[in-house]
Amino acid sequence: MKTIIEPFRIKVVEPIRITTVEERRSLLERAGWNLFAIHSEDVIIDLLTDSGTSAMSADQWGAVMRGDESYAGSPSYYRFETAVRELMQFRHVIPTHQGRAAEAILFSIVGGPGRIVPSNTHFDTTRGNIEATGARAVDLVVREAHDIDARHPFKGNIDLARLEQLLEESGDSVPLVMLTVTNNAGGGQPVSLANIRATAEIAHRHGKPLVIDGCRFAENAWFIKCREPGQESRPVPDIVRDMFSVADGMTMSAKKDAFANIGGWLATNDDKLAAEARNRLILTEGFPTYGGLAGRDLEAIAIGLHEIVDEQYLRYRVRTNEYIGEKLLSLGVPIVQPVGGHAVFVDARRFLPHIPPLEYPGQSLAVALYEAGGIRACEIGTVMFGRGPDGVEKAADMDLVRLAMPRRVSTQSHADYMIEVFEEVVRGKDELRGLRIVSQPPQLRHFTARFQPIS
Ligand code: F0G
């Protein structure tokens, strides 16, 4: 059959409150035109993030009931550890309450002033946790990643020559090499198996461990299966095992590719690092067999890890995003190509060329999507990155709007509705205006800044 259906039935539903345009206009005004200040009950389709927003399965909810809440040695922990090890064979698996907690523990041990941590592209919490220790986070993604239209199959790859050069010149300062799969900050673009292996080879030749930020490992493995020569007939779990078999450790947010609403882990083959990490875990998260999670969360993750590598699910997941991407392109909406695993990224700067970057074209588009159809998306551009540590404003590299797709949450008609909302926005795009910021905090301003439309 040509039609790829949602490979699940719906047993539990959450009603969506359908608001009117007039209501949304006044909600926007009250929120200072910042979508983070909108209550989620006033959102029709929430595409702010794919993190922690998955629909859990009947099996996961069943397992939640089985969760054993013992402080030490809970069987839920051992089921979680076994499920992780089936895919990622690390000696030590240390649960954390979410991904950034794993990052904080790791970099509090291996970071510090003068240290340099290279990656394809660090996600912002990873960068934040590295920089908080005084170390420097360096992004070495391939050049194609910066070209929105370049249809390279693995735009998440790290530039191997620049990695080699960094390790030759400053190897003494590098505690480890990282790879983010898929590369969220670069548009959800995958890293090839060949690139993962070559990164490991270079790192190991210089005596450095490779640590994978594995948040979207299953989507990455699916892209490897679909796009990398010689991988097409291999089962996804085998590809996942190969991805991690050359790594020495990983950080993970189970809020993404584990279908969980909370959770994460730090894994490593290094006994000394693991011992130190567990000591810090006890201080900040909890005992090593629960690490900031309830036993029931560990159970949900264990089941989620089995479900996420299902090829019917991954085919439907990626195809849905491609479908939305194709329709947007046909409406003349420029997007990052090829479409990523977890999101469609719209190039708002190119879509709204009459709005200069310092009047925030990404914010203008995000506001327009909410006003027209109650869709909540996230600006990733000059609002998020446009203010330096000195407080001076400058245009970010790109002004994107991310439409992040929660897992198993919506149906084909939700996708068609999103496209219809874009049609409406396209019709009125020349009338869209920029915004100015009327109040903002000193850091991470995108969360709480208030705006005013420029008339
Ligand atoms: N690494 C990557 C690649 C991520 O995308 C995220 C979170 C984290 C680490 C941190 O994990 O949220 O569990 O602490 N990304 C979310 C997003 C917030 O919307 O992209 P966390």
Side-chain angles (χ1 to χ4, degrees):
M1 294 297 155
K2 187 159 74 33
T3 305
I4 297 172
I5 61 168
E6 290 83 6
F8 48 80
R9 291 181 300 187
I10 297 168
K11 171 142 51 183
V12 177
V13 297
E14 286 180 292
I16 297 174
R17 195 172 83 81
I18 306 293
T19 48
T20 63
V21 178
E22 290 70 36
E23 249 181 290
R24 293 194 291 272
R25 282 193 189 125
S26 79
L27 289 164
L28 277 169
E29 189 173 347
R30 208 180 319 152
W33 288 271
N34 186 333
L35 298 165
F36 284 99
I38 300 272
H39 294 197
S40 60
E41 285 178 340
D42 297 327
V43 175
I44 294 178
I45 297 186
D46 204 345
L47 307 179
L48 201 53
T49 182
D50 65 317
S51 178
T53 51
S54 300
M56 293 219 296
S57 65
D59 271 0
Q60 282 180 295
W61 283 112
V64 161
M65 203 58 235
R66 193 177 55 200
D68 179 305
E69 306 303 343
S70 305
Y71 191 92
S74 161
S76 301
Y77 169 76
Y78 294 104
R79 278 192 281 271
F80 156 81
E81 185 193 44
T82 301
V84 174
R85 287 234 190 96
E86 266 168 35
L87 294 170
M88 300 113 176
Q89 281 131 357
F90 296 114
R91 204 149 54 233
H92 305 278
V93 182
I94 301 169
T96 59
H97 81 274
Q98 63 183 86
R100 66 197 73 183
E103 295 161 4
I105 289 173
L106 175 64
F107 291 108
S108 69
I109 300 169
V110 305
R115 294 284 166 94
I116 302 172
V117 184
S119 182
N120 46 354
T121 312
H122 292 283
F123 181 66
D124 45 12
T125 59
T126 323
R127 172 175 286 278
N129 274 301
I130 292 169
E131 290 174 350
T133 71
R136 198 150 65 84
V138 178
D139 295 337
L140 299 175
V141 74
V142 290
R143 291 187 206 295
E144 289 86 347
H146 302 293
D147 177 354
I148 285 176
D149 303 317
R151 290 195 59 91
H152 186 289
F154 293 103
K155 277 168 109 171
N157 282 355
I158 197 168
D159 186 326
L160 298 167
R162 284 162 72 210
L163 175 64
E164 182 89 59
Q165 190 190 348
L166 177 83
L167 288 168
E168 267 161 27
E169 288 169 4
S170 326
D172 288 349
S173 309
V174 175
L176 54 85
V177 174
M178 267 195 111
L179 274 179
T180 311
V181 303
T182 59
N183 193 22
N184 181 7
Q189 302 292 327
V191 182
S192 71
L193 194 51
N195 192 260
I196 295 173
R197 286 174 170 154
T199 305
E201 188 278 316
I202 293 172
H204 294 158
R205 186 152 38 73
H206 289 268
K208 309 296 175 191
L210 170 65
V211 174
I212 296 181
D213 172 343
C215 290
R216 299 178 180 84
F217 71 91
E219 289 165 9
N220 199 91
W222 176 252
F223 284 123
I224 287 174
K225 182 179 170 87
C226 296
R227 296 181 186 170
E228 193 156 345
Q231 302 296 323
E232 57 279 0
S233 56
R234 301 188 58 209
V236 167
D238 285 357
I239 297 174
V240 172
R241 281 188 276 273
D242 275 5
M243 285 163 54
F244 289 92
S245 68
V246 295
D248 305 280
M250 72 180 293
T251 56
M252 176 73 188
S253 168
K255 300 172 75 173
K256 284 83 170 175
D257 273 358
F259 285 131
N261 302 125
I262 197 72
W265 65 85
L266 170 64
T268 178
N269 288 331
D270 180 334
D271 297 340
K272 188 162 160 284
L273 176 70
E276 268 187 78
R278 288 199 174 100
N279 288 337
R280 279 170 207 249
L281 189 84
I282 290 174
L283 286 178
T284 58
E285 294 279 295
F287 190 75
T289 59
Y290 72 85
L293 292 169
R296 54 178 171 267
D297 302 321
L298 294 166
E299 296 278 356
I301 295 169
I303 305 281
L305 285 174
H306 287 293
E307 295 177 350
I308 201 85
V309 290
D310 176 63
E311 297 188 5
Q312 295 305 329
Y313 159 74
L314 288 166
R315 176 177 292 112
Y316 136 83
R317 166 88 173 149
V318 169
R319 182 59 207 143
T320 306
N321 296 349
E322 285 170 355
Y323 171 85
I324 294 167
E326 286 160 13
K327 296 283 182 184
L328 293 187
L329 282 171
S330 73
L331 293 173
V333 178
I335 59 168
V336 175
Q337 297 196 64
V339 168
H342 68 297
V344 177
F345 287 69
V346 179
D347 183 352
R349 192 177 293 174
R350 217 194 302 172
F351 181 61
L352 302 172
H354 59 289
I355 301 181
L358 293 184
E359 293 178 11
Y360 316 125
Q363 189 69 16
S364 175
L365 173 59
V367 165
L369 291 170
Y370 181 75
E371 184 177 314
I375 292 176
R376 176 157 70 170
C378 186
E379 192 261 14
I380 302 189
T382 303
V383 175
M384 199 179 267
F385 302 121
R387 194 172 49 164
D390 49 8
V392 176
E393 281 253 348
K394 64 173 177 42
D397 292 345
M398 296 189 260
D399 278 295
L400 303 178
V401 171
R402 184 180 78 166
L403 313 171
M405 307 297 171
R407 293 169 182 75
R408 300 193 295 209
V409 164
S410 49
T411 64
Q412 177 65 28
S413 71
H414 291 92
D416 288 323
Y417 175 84
M418 286 175 215
I419 292 152
E420 210 177 316
V421 172
F422 264 95
E423 274 170 14
E424 172 88 8
V425 171
V426 167
R427 271 195 293 276
K429 85 191 217 10
D430 295 339
E431 275 75 60
L432 290 182
R433 292 289 164 262
L435 300 107
R436 61 188 176 83
I437 291 182
V438 292
S439 72
Q440 55 181 313
Q443 279 117 24
L444 296 172
R445 65 177 181 176
H446 55 284
F447 290 125
T448 54
R450 293 182 70 85
F451 300 83
Q452 182 75 49
I454 296 169
S455 51

